[in-house]
Amino acid sequence: PTGTAEVAAVAIGLMASPRLAAAMWVAFTVGHVVAKLPWYGLGLHGDRVAGARAARWVVKARTLLGRRPQYGPALLFVSALTSIPPFHVAAIAAGLLRIAPTPFIALCLAGRLIRFGLLAASPGLLRALLGGT
């Protein structure tokens, strides 16, 4: 799955100055993760969900995490890295499952730094593969 964030990350890789590109990559990633905090906050209020079906889903998800606590952080990192499931959905789920804020931010930053770093590096790698300078 791609979106404007991925396009922006590739555009960062087109910068002439590697130092500027690196600074923009880090700043862009931090901004992207900060923008997921409201989604996480929305998930923290999962006890207020309307509808029996949604409430049952929250209970099931929390029960699963209680039995397998490693699933929540692992899924969050995979989503931050691959956008599967969509990252904003994973951020909501992290709030619903009460993943603590510090691990939430750390896992999101790690996954997104890798994702956006690979995307930002792609123009240079493509040039190198095609024999360009």
Side-chain angles (χ1 to χ4, degrees), residues 9-10 13 116-126:
V10 171
F116 294 148
L118 291 171
L119 288 166
S122 65
L125 294 172
L126 188 58

Side-chain angles (χ1 to χ4, degrees), residues 17-124:
S17 166
R19 293 179 92 187
L20 178 59
M24 289 179 67
W25 161 56
V26 171
F28 178 74
T29 302
V30 169
H32 187 81
V33 171
V34 167
K36 296 304 180 227
L37 291 174
W39 293 104
Y40 172 76
L42 183 67
L44 290 174
H45 297 286
D47 295 330
R48 298 180 186 178
V49 295
R53 184 176 177 191
R56 282 192 305 272
W57 183 87
V58 170
V59 169
K60 283 172 127 176
R62 286 183 176 161
T63 301
L64 174 63
L65 186 65
R67 283 186 295 216
R68 305 267 193 223
Q70 69 276 16
Y71 282 10
L75 182 60
L76 180 62
F77 177 75
V78 167
S79 178
L81 183 63
T82 67
S83 286
I84 301 170
F87 187 43
H88 70 282
V89 173
I92 294 169
L96 282 170
L97 299 174
R98 306 268 190 237
I99 294 174
T102 300
F104 171 78
I105 292 169
L107 290 165
C108 291
L109 279 173
R112 286 286 144 158
L113 277 169
I114 294 168
R115 179 180 181 83
F116 294 148
L118 291 171
L119 288 166
S122 65

